């Protein structure tokens, strides 16, 4: 039997429900593992020792009363842009560094109600703006598979926590790829549901027409269990969808017989380089071997996705972040008049990437430029969504890369636009609001380190059961996630040696 | 396409910028605007703008009092308070 903290959410829930192990024992094991391991990884901004132990006791009481909970005792990592009553909720920003949430996000509350135990709040790019976690003002997170590389972002803390077995389920939010890209980089499942399927009440807003909460997990079954627990209508979020959620964990598939999977003509694999190209060609062949029929589809406007996104998302962010003005909560830099107080507070409280996006969004919405930039981008968005609708006339799912490169070295991307390019393959799905996930599909060797690669699968609105079902068949047949363990705790000393050797070389 | 007037935009956005930031952000944002110019190639004359991609409708409810956050809990998060009020700098001249 593997260590307690190694188990999947499904295994944990089964054992806690059958009273073979208590939520309290599991929580002790998880917290001990976090204490031993997270110093190197930096997945958590805050570890909730007391709350975790109290919550575990309550889960054990519920089990003792005869309740069965779908996620009984499952250690949960919560991205620190989601509110949890009485805990610091920072968005990894100086402006909220000392803010304590007075209420709990609906999605988090649902996970706790399903039996999860909150281990801690995880690092992110400030206000979820970034693709590497390096825009965090409050800490560095390292990729558990190579400590010199980024975990991806913005949900990099949750992805790293799950990869390093510091939680079984991580909660992330995805605006342009912020669950899927760190999922791919950390060799875990990163799943963004249909826009509106999970309540955003208590998720601190970045771009409201794009933001969506979803799970990061080590198995597809766990992603399905987490999705089933967190999805559903919420009167507190009027954009949440008022139709019943079809459960996905009970409809996982073992093959892809009868499915047509679209391969996107415009996403040719040559630009990715020989090693990644080989990984994706192999993945497409594996889909076929499982019974899927591959068909070519076209997304002619996908190439405009990045430009569309980098107008719409900053525009919405400039509006959403106007609330951080130093008056009602968070940081305040004092000044003699209100406008100066606002401007100095925001200058001191926001990091460079947040400032850039607020400025570009303010510009795109300003008088004289609104039609040329924002409205035009919204029209381009219509075309991107239409492309997907037409493609799904010819196929049931689409398969494509999740990222254009493997996890990169910390500090490697200093130019903002080169970081924005990281979202190239994930943005079109966000613009269309369709569900999409990244599932581990192989490795590329970089020196002596194998680096994980993710396959992105996407489906029409509300086709989560089909999407997760197909991902499960692929995962079960290939098991790429199991081929390599994070060096951070499997061979921690080797990683340390390598780090020391490299810093010696630099000197 | 005109060069971005970064000082004006920063004033609208209420972010005080240093001289170094004016230079750096000005250059970075101009570069980004070059990239988004590509959208000009799309023929969108007859295309409707999309604000929400999934079914959405107006939501109303009865205007009845409901439980909400306690006043003290909310006020505790304000940087400056005075009794039951949030304190801010004067906005009108004496």
């Amino acid at each position: 039997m593997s260590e307690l903290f190694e188990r999947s959410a499904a295994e944990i829930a089964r054992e806690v429900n059958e009273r073979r192990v208590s939520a309290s024992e599991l929580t002790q094991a998880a917290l001990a593992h976090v204490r031993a391991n997270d110093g190197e990884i930096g997945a958590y901004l805050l570890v909730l020792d007391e709350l975790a132990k109290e919550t575990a006791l309550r889960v054990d009481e519920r089990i003792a009363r005869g309740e069965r909970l779908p996620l009984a005792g499952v250690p949960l990592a919560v991205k620190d842009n989601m509110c949890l009553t009485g805990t610091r909720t920072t968005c990894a920003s100086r402006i909220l560094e000392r803010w304590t949430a007075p209420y709990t996000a609906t999605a988090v509350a649902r996970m706790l109600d399903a039996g999860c135990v909150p281990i801690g709040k995880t690092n992110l790019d400030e206000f979820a703006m970034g693709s590497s976690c390096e825009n965090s003002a409050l800490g560095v997170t390292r990729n558990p598979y190579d400590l010199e590389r980024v975990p991806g972002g913005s949900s990099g803390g949750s992805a790293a926590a799950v990869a390093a077995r510091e939680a079984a389920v991580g909660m992330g939010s995805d605006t342009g790829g912020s669950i899927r890209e760190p999922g791919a980089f950390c060799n875990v499942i990163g799943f963004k549901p249909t826009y509106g399927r999970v309540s955003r009440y208590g998720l601190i807003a970045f771009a409201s027409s794009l933001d969506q909460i979803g799970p990061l997990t080590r198995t597809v079954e766990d992603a399905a269990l987490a999705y089933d627990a967190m999805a559903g209508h919420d009167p507190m979020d009027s954009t949440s969808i008022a139709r019943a959620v079809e459960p996905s964990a009970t409809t996982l598939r073992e093959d892809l017989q009868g499915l047509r999977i679209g391969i996107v003509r415009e996403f040719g694999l040559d630009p990715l380089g020989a090693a990644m190209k080989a990984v994706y060609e192999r993945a497409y062949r594996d889909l076929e071997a499982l019974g899927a029929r591959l068909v070519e589809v076209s997304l002619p406007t996908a190439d405009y996705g990045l430009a569309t996104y980098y107008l719409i998302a900053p525009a919405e962010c400039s509006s959403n972040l106007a609330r951080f003005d130093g008056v009602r909560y968070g940081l305040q830099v004092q000044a003699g008049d209100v406008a100066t107080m606002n401007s100095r507070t925001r200058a001191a409280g926001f990091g460079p990437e947040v400032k850039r996006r607020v400025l570009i969004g303010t510009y795109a919405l300003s008088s004289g430029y609104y039609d040329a930039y924002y409205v035009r981008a919204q029209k381009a968005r219509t075309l991107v969504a239409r492309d997907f609708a037409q493609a799904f006339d010819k196929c049931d799912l689409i398969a494509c890369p999740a990222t254009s490169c493997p996890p990169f070295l910390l500090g490697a991307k200093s130019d903002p636009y080169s970081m924005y390019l990281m979202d190239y393959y994930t943005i079109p799905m966000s613009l269309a609001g369709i569900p999409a996930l990244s599932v581990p599909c192989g490795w590329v060797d970089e020196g002596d380190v194998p680096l994980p690669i993710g396959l992105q699968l996407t489906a029409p609105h509300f086709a989560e059961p089909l999407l997760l079902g197909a991902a499960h068949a692929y995962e079960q047949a290939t098991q790429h996630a199991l081929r390599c363990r994070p060096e951070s705790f499997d061979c921690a000393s080797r990683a340390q040696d390598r780090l020391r050797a490299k810093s010696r070389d630099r000197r | 396409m005109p060069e971005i007037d970064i000082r004006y935009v920063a004033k609208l956005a209420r972010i005080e910028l240093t001289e170094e930031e004016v230079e750096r952000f000005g250059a970075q944002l101009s570069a980004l605007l070059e990239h988004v110019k590509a959208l000009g190639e799309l023929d969108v004359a007859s295309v409707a703008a999309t604000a929400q991609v999934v079914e959405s409708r107006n939501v109303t409810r009865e205007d009845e009092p409901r439980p909400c956050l306690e006043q003290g809990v909310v006020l505790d998060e304000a940087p400056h308070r005075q009794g039951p009020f949030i304190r801010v700098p004067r906005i009108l001249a004496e």
Side-chain angles (χ1 to χ4, degrees):
Chain A
M1 187 56 83
S2 58
E3 298 266 8
L4 286 177
F5 60 79
E6 290 258 23
R7 294 177 199 180
S8 72
E11 288 168 342
I12 289 169
R14 203 175 304 128
E15 297 197 2
V16 172
N17 279 315
E18 289 169 8
R19 301 192 208 181
R20 286 204 294 266
V21 61
S22 70
S24 296
E25 284 171 80
L26 269 155
T27 300
Q28 298 285 358
L31 289 170
H33 179 60
V34 169
R35 269 195 301 275
N37 200 52
D38 201 50
E40 273 186 314
I41 307 291
Y44 288 103
L45 290 173
L46 179 66
V47 178
L48 299 165
D49 275 272
E50 289 312 307
L51 182 64
K53 288 175 197 164
E54 285 165 26
T55 308
L57 276 177
R58 284 201 299 276
V59 170
D60 286 330
E61 284 164 14
R62 289 171 70 186
I63 298 294
R65 283 200 302 268
E67 276 190 71
R68 283 186 75 85
L69 304 171
L71 295 168
V74 170
L76 180 71
V78 180
K79 186 177 182 180
D80 205 22
N81 60 352
M82 295 178 209
C83 293
L84 175 54
T85 304
T87 69
R88 231 176 48 194
T89 300
T90 66
C91 284
S93 179
R94 295 271 172 229
I95 212 158
L96 282 178
E97 195 174 359
R98 278 177 273 279
W99 185 68
T100 300
Y103 64 100
T104 297
T106 300
V108 176
R110 288 187 178 177
M111 294 296 276
L112 300 184
D113 192 50
C116 282
V117 173
I119 298 299
K121 305 293 291 289
T122 54
N123 199 14
L124 63 152
D125 289 290
E126 185 176 0
F127 284 101
M129 297 173 196
S131 309
S132 69
C133 256
E134 292 167 295
N135 293 333
S136 169
L138 303 181
V140 176
T141 302
R142 295 168 181 277
N143 190 312
Y145 286 90
D146 180 350
L147 298 174
E148 291 194 32
R149 290 176 189 268
V150 302
S154 67
S155 309
S158 286
V162 170
R165 278 69 171 168
E166 296 177 12
V169 175
M171 293 182 75
S173 64
D174 190 312
T175 305
S178 277
I179 292 175
R180 290 162 283 164
E181 187 244 22
F185 277 11
C186 289
N187 197 36
V188 297
I189 314 295
F191 172 41
K192 180 198 89 74
T194 302
Y195 177 80
R197 197 73 279 204
V198 178
S199 167
R200 295 179 296 113
Y201 177 68
L203 169 70
I204 295 173
F206 160 17
S208 301
S209 77
L210 296 157
D211 294 342
Q212 190 53 217
I213 292 175
L216 291 129
T217 56
R218 291 191 298 274
T219 70
V220 175
E221 183 186 17
D222 286 0
L225 285 168
Y227 167 73
D228 289 350
M230 68 172 77
H233 180 245
D234 173 18
M236 298 302 282
D237 174 4
S238 59
T239 62
S240 73
I241 305 290
R243 61 156 101 175
V245 178
E246 270 181 81
S248 60
T250 48
T251 57
L252 299 175
R253 306 167 61 114
E254 301 303 326
D255 64 53
L256 301 175
Q257 292 296 339
L259 288 184
R260 297 162 304 165
I261 296 187
I263 304 296
V264 182
R265 184 188 306 150
E266 290 80 6
F267 291 166
L269 299 175
D270 286 331
L272 304 180
M276 279 186 78
K277 182 182 177 186
V279 168
Y280 284 119
E281 281 177 341
R282 170 75 192 273
Y284 297 164
R285 281 202 303 278
D286 288 340
L287 295 173
E288 215 166 12
L290 282 162
R293 187 156 64 84
L294 301 188
V295 296
E296 189 183 75
V297 295
S298 178
L299 300 174
T301 37
D303 204 33
Y304 297 92
L306 202 69
T308 304
Y309 177 87
Y310 277 99
L311 288 170
I312 290 176
E316 294 184 8
C317 116
S318 72
S319 168
N320 273 324
L321 269 60
R323 73 192 56 166
F324 300 104
D325 57 4
V327 174
R328 289 155 298 165
Y329 34 66
L331 181 74
Q332 183 190 97
V333 177
Q334 294 196 35
D337 66 279
V338 169
T340 310
M341 182 275 283
N342 294 155
S343 300
R344 289 191 181 155
T345 297
R346 290 158 68 79
F350 291 150
E353 184 56 31
V354 174
K355 287 178 187 173
R356 270 193 292 272
R357 296 208 197 184
V358 169
L359 292 171
I360 200 77
T362 303
Y363 177 70
L365 292 176
S366 65
S367 173
Y369 300 104
Y370 181 81
D371 287 325
Y373 288 117
Y374 186 63
V375 174
R376 193 167 190 92
Q378 285 191 313
K379 290 181 174 182
R381 184 174 187 179
T382 305
L383 296 178
V384 173
R386 200 181 283 171
D387 279 359
F388 277 109
Q390 282 166 0
F392 284 128
D393 282 341
K394 291 209 283 183
C395 63
D396 304 294
L397 297 165
I398 290 172
C400 67
T403 64
S404 51
C405 64
F408 48 89
L409 293 168
L410 287 153
K413 296 197 188 290
S414 52
D415 163 51
Y417 194 74
S418 69
M419 192 70 88
Y420 297 169
L421 283 169
M422 290 311 304
D423 303 331
Y424 181 83
Y425 290 108
T426 48
I427 277 175
M429 297 75 180
S430 295
L431 291 172
I434 53 180
L437 58 78
S438 174
V439 54
C441 71
W443 305 83
V444 295
D445 287 321
E446 189 101 1
D448 58 341
V449 194
L451 299 174
I453 303 293
L455 174 71
Q456 186 175 206
L457 296 172
T458 186
H461 291 139
F462 306 114
E464 280 86 357
L466 173 69
L467 177 62
L468 288 159
H472 182 260
Y474 175 76
E475 170 202 53
Q476 293 301 303
T478 56
Q479 294 292 4
H480 291 292
L482 297 181
R483 297 245 172 100
C484 191
R485 288 159 54 86
E487 77 168 357
S488 55
F489 69 93
D490 198 32
C491 18
S493 56
R494 186 167 69 95
Q496 283 297 324
D497 289 347
R498 248 171 15 90
L499 273 175
R500 270 196 293 271
K502 289 204 177 164
S503 66
R504 258 201 316 274
D505 292 349
R506 283 195 205 102
R507 273 187 251 127
Chain B
M1 214 65 84
E3 186 108 316
I4 182 167
D5 180 351
I6 197 81
R7 286 178 214 275
Y8 173 66
V9 175
K11 188 169 173 250
L12 289 179
R14 296 231 168 148
I15 299 177
E16 196 172 86
L17 297 183
T18 64
E19 280 309 307
E20 186 272 328
E21 283 176 323
V22 169
E23 288 286 312
R24 181 158 47 101
F25 293 155
Q28 288 169 339
L29 299 191
S30 295
L32 178 64
L33 290 178
E34 279 301 311
H35 289 292
V36 304
K37 263 188 192 168
L39 289 184
E41 298 162 8
L42 289 173
D43 178 10
V44 293
S46 58
V47 177
T50 294
Q52 289 287 329
V53 278
V54 184
E55 57 197 59
S56 67
R57 75 239 175 280
N58 197 24
V59 179
T60 60
R61 64 171 171 82
E62 293 305 311
D63 186 15
E64 288 165 348
R66 296 191 302 184
C68 62
L69 296 175
E70 277 177 44
Q71 192 191 45
V73 171
V74 176
L75 283 170
D76 278 348
E77 291 300 331
H80 290 285
R81 60 182 283 196
Q82 189 172 326
F85 302 106
I86 292 172
R87 197 183 161 99
V88 291
R90 174 184 299 279
I91 55 167
L92 298 173
E94 281 185 69

